[in-house]
Amino acid sequence: MPFDFKKEYRAFYQPKAVPEIIEIPPMNFITLRGRGDPNEENGAYQQAVGVLYAVAYTLKMSGKSGRQLEGFFDYVVPPLEGFWRQGDNGVIDYADKSSFSWVSAIRLPDFVDREDFAWAVSEAQRKKKLDCGKAEFLTIAEGLCVQMLHLGSYDSEPASVALMDEYIAQKGYQNDFSAERLHHEIYLSDPRRTLPEKCRTVLRHPIRKI
């Protein structure tokens, strides 16, 4: 059976619906950066997601294109992730989506190196007729974080964030947002096929000891 990151790394992708503190190791991602409302029809965010999946599936199906990746094994493409920012304090105003800065991301298997990545970007651009030139190979080291599973719409996330803030305060930690350490979401549900109240999203915030 294909390797499934969500099942093999349950601590990172299947947390409980209550806050927990966790150490996140460095991981490699396909990423695209941008600004603006993610709900804008055919806007920058939606176009970025299309590019990410084009590159991700080019890597997954590389053998059929004649590219033999050293150490390759069959796998399920990991879920879409997003790192979000509006200011320096980490506070997210869900009513002002046009002011978002975001890094949209899909995790890469460890066997994918930068040379393989560059090939996949070029191949996806050629086959899909997409502008993939802004896709980046990025290693993200989140380190110490608080996370939980949020059940419901994206606009209802503040209730879960409040639980996370209360939990870390009780444990002697505080949020540690910066230009590199951001509000992080992992999308376990497809919002096009899932009712908002049933969407499952991992929420993750960087923290440090007080």
Side-chain angles (χ1 to χ4, degrees):
M1 292 182 63
F3 185 93
D4 190 334
F5 288 84
K6 297 190 302 298
K7 294 179 180 179
E8 299 297 331
Y9 298 109
R10 297 183 65 87
F12 304 146
Y13 298 101
Q14 304 288 340
K16 297 178 180 179
V18 292
E20 62 180 358
I21 293 172
I22 187 169
E23 183 79 23
I24 306 297
M27 302 177 190
N28 296 329
F29 293 87
I30 314 164
T31 63
L32 262 168
R33 303 171 188 269
R35 293 182 59 87
D37 187 343
N39 297 324
E40 180 185 351
E41 189 68 26
N42 201 36
Y45 178 81
Q46 294 185 10
Q47 292 183 40
V49 170
V51 169
L52 292 181
Y53 276 109
V55 176
Y57 277 96
T58 297
L59 286 163
K60 174 179 168 60
M61 307 303 292
S62 55
K64 293 187 176 182
S65 297
R67 177 85 175 188
Q68 302 302 319
L69 276 60
E70 184 176 354
F72 180 90
F73 53 80
D74 192 17
Y75 62 97
V76 177
V77 171
L80 180 68
E81 309 189 28
F83 297 83
W84 301 86
R85 186 183 187 194
Q86 284 178 317
D88 294 331
N89 61 3
V91 175
I92 300 294
D93 180 0
Y94 292 82
D96 184 19
K97 295 180 174 62
S98 63
S99 67
F100 276 130
S101 294
W102 41 262
V103 180
S104 193
I106 294 177
R107 185 177 177 179
L108 290 167
D110 289 343
F111 60 74
V112 175
D113 61 23
R114 291 182 180 275
E115 184 177 335
D116 296 326
F117 179 81
W119 167 83
V121 168
S122 177
E123 185 74 358
Q125 183 159 302
R126 181 181 69 84
K127 284 190 171 182
K128 301 294 184 180
K129 309 303 181 186
L130 293 172
D131 181 3
C132 302
K134 293 183 179 179
E136 299 178 64
F137 181 110
L138 187 63
T139 300
I140 299 176
E142 289 188 272
L144 191 64
C145 294
V146 60
Q147 70 175 14
M148 69 176 289
L149 180 66
H150 172 72
L151 301 171
S153 70
Y154 304 134
D155 286 343
S156 68
E157 287 179 10
S160 292
V161 170
L163 292 176
M164 292 162 62
D165 288 346
E166 180 181 2
Y167 177 79
I168 62 172
Q170 292 173 351
K171 297 293 184 179
Y173 293 85
Q174 63 185 22
N175 289 310
D176 189 29
F177 295 108
S178 69
E180 290 76 33
R181 307 191 76 204
L182 305 174
H183 173 92
H184 184 185
E185 302 179 359
I186 304 174
Y187 308 107
L188 304 180
S189 303
D190 185 341
R192 299 170 300 177
R193 299 181 175 91
T194 309
L195 292 172
E197 62 269 21
K198 293 186 177 181
C199 281
R200 301 167 66 248
T201 307
V202 179
L203 300 183
R204 189 179 293 163
H205 282 177
I207 60 173
R208 62 182 174 86
K209 197 73 175 177
I210 296 176

